[in-house]
Amino acid sequence: MEASRYKSILSRGSLATAVLFLSGCNSALLDPKGAIGVQAKELIITALLLMLIVVIPVILMTVYFAYRYRATNTTDEEYAPEWAHSTKIEVVVWTVPLIIIAILATITWHSTHEMEPSKPLVSDVEPMTIEVVALDWKWLFIYPDHQIATVNYVAFPKDVPVKFKLTSDNIMNAFFIPRLGSQIYAMPGMVTKLNLIANHEGDFRGFASNYSGEGFSQMKFTATALPDRAAFLNWVQEVKASPDRIEDWEQYSALAEPSIAAPVTLFSSVPPFLFTDVVTQHPGSMNCLPENQG
């Protein structure tokens, strides 16, 4: 009975492991579509391989010791009940992990500075700016150069650096497009910056990755990388043809009212300083830094 019970547990565990690995084949973090995402993938894989230097030998030794010292083993194995210390073992057990930790620390320090979200991307192409406001429970994207805005949908040309400026209307949240790279927080009264680039055209899932209340799980959006600037400008003209507008603060306040699973909405015009007004509505707010400091 015991043997069959263990076989059942082992088979279920193997099935769960297989499902887990198969479900990870299309993991967004391991299938990046932008330069920052590629760097993050390389960092994840490097850290994993370094940690496996410890994990794999431990697993193999566990199986080996369990087999060698099993109760049914009738061979003559050394029995040392008074054994308590081995300098050689202590050196290996402590030195190898310390070396790995030192390597990981060096890699993390270097990559943290290289992938700093507010650091502009090196590119020959002029970057574009998109302002992002986290609302309850939806995302407002403002295009200051075109005086348009969208809800739960953002578009930009591929191979063009995008500088996102983010804030929140009333509660801290987090902005994340897994296939493009870094996550960053959006906070009321503050402006954070995130630089991303898409090197492939297509639709990418974005969402809020910080719990913010009832509608948190439905706070999702689509990020579309268009083939080129011409396609992007055509899309801008489509938005400008929309009958919906944000003409004043009252209309913005109505939009900011809590709603769950809000549909994609296109606004053909917005007030010139709407993003700044959202930031400075909170006492003691920190407005945008000048461009040469951001």
Side-chain angles (χ1 to χ4, degrees), residues 3 23 29 50 86 118 130 145 147 212 216 220 224 227-228 232 252 255 259 265-266:
S23 65
L29 293 176
L50 284 170
S86 169
S118 64
I130 299 177
D145 295 334
Q147 293 300 299
S212 58
F216 154 75
K220 303 173 184 177
T224 297
D228 48 39
F232 172 73
Y252 165 77
L255 174 66
S259 62
T265 309
L266 309 178

Side-chain angles (χ1 to χ4, degrees), residues 26-280:
N26 292 321
S27 170
L29 293 176
L30 299 180
D31 184 25
K33 301 300 182 181
I36 300 299
V38 170
Q39 293 180 51
K41 173 187 174 181
E42 292 173 350
L43 179 61
I44 291 171
I45 293 175
T46 301
L48 176 64
L49 293 176
L50 284 170
M51 289 184 286
L52 286 178
I53 294 175
V54 171
V55 173
I56 291 177
V58 168
I59 293 174
L60 294 177
M61 285 190 293
T62 300
V63 174
Y64 171 72
F65 290 146
Y67 174 78
R68 180 174 179 178
Y69 297 105
R70 67 194 186 280
T72 58
N73 189 357
T74 57
T75 59
D76 294 329
E77 296 294 347
E78 181 183 359
Y79 177 63
E82 303 300 324
W83 183 90
H85 176 76
S86 169
T87 301
K88 293 181 180 179
I89 293 177
E90 291 288 340
V91 169
V92 173
V93 167
W94 286 102
T95 302
V96 174
L98 284 174
I99 292 173
I100 294 173
I101 290 171
I103 295 172
L104 280 172
T106 302
I107 293 173
T108 302
W109 184 89
H110 181 265
S111 60
T112 298
H113 288 78
E114 282 295 313
M115 298 170 61
E116 215 292 306
S118 64
K119 183 178 178 180
L121 300 179
V122 178
S123 175
D124 297 330
V125 181
E126 184 73 18
M128 64 177 294
T129 299
I130 299 177
E131 297 166 340
V132 186
V133 182
L135 304 172
D136 286 339
W137 286 274
K138 50 191 170 284
W139 294 96
L140 174 64
F141 299 93
I142 303 171
Y143 293 76
D145 295 334
H146 303 282
Q147 293 300 299
I148 61 174
T150 59
V151 168
N152 287 345
Y153 182 82
V154 59
F156 40 80
K158 76 178 184 72
D159 297 325
V160 174
V162 181
K163 178 166 61 177
F164 291 99
K165 293 183 177 180
L166 302 101
T167 191
S168 176
D169 184 71
N170 64 2
I171 189 172
M172 184 173 76
N173 217 307
F175 177 87
F176 193 23
I177 308 175
R179 290 193 188 277
L180 297 187
S182 306
Q183 166 194 281
I184 196 165
Y185 287 96
M187 294 167 279
M190 298 182 66
V191 176
T192 51
K193 296 183 180 181
L194 174 64
N195 289 276
L196 296 176
I197 187 171
N199 299 122
H200 300 265
E201 62 179 284
D203 295 333
F204 311 121
R205 185 172 69 101
F207 56 90
S209 52
N210 187 75
Y211 180 74
S212 58
E214 181 182 0
F216 154 75
S217 62
Q218 297 299 314
M219 195 171 171
K220 303 173 184 177
F221 64 92
T222 299
T224 297
L226 298 169
D228 48 39
R229 282 191 182 271
F232 172 73
L233 293 176
N234 289 336
W235 175 80
V236 169
Q237 293 307 312
E238 292 178 11
V239 177
K240 285 184 176 292
S242 171
D244 296 313
R245 299 167 176 266
I246 301 176
E247 296 181 339
D248 52 36
W249 185 257
E250 289 185 4
Q251 290 186 348
Y252 165 77
S253 298
L255 174 66
E257 289 294 319
S259 62
I260 299 176
V264 172
T265 309
L266 309 178
F267 296 99
S268 56
S269 68
V270 293
F273 301 105
L274 179 59
F275 183 79
T276 300
D277 292 340
V278 173
V279 177
T280 57

